[in-house]
């Protein structure tokens, strides 16, 4: 596993969650939820050792 890629996903998901908590505008809520959900989606299938479970989690 590439640690830099993993940490980038975790950092971006954290940044999106923090932005979502402090949002005052509807556009900010939408953008922050997109950041948070897309990084959470990528992190759910990040384990590449077990390809079957990884693909199933991502789908």
């Amino acid at each position: 596993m590439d640690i830099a890629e993993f940490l980038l996903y975790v950092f971006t998901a954290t940044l999106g969650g923090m932005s979502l908590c402090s949002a005052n505008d509807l556009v900010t809520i939408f953008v922050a939820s997109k950041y948070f959900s897309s990084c959470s989606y990528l992190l759910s299938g990040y384990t590449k050792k077990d390809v079957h479970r990884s693909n199933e989690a991502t789908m």
Side-chain angles (χ1 to χ4, degrees):
M1 290 178 18
D2 188 19
I3 192 72
E5 183 182 3
F6 178 75
L7 290 177
L8 179 69
Y9 292 152
V10 170
F11 177 71
T12 310
T14 305
L15 190 66
M18 289 172 47
S19 299
L20 189 60
C21 289
S22 65
N24 291 330
D25 197 5
L26 186 61
V27 174
T28 309
I29 291 172
F30 179 74
V31 170
S33 67
K34 287 297 174 183
Y35 274 123
F36 184 70
S37 65
S38 64
C39 288
S40 298
Y41 161 73
L42 291 172
L43 283 172
S44 69
Y46 191 75
T47 56
K48 296 174 183 165
K49 291 180 183 177
D50 190 3
V51 177
H52 178 67
R53 287 186 180 180
S54 174
N55 290 341
E56 184 177 350
T58 311
M59 291 306 287

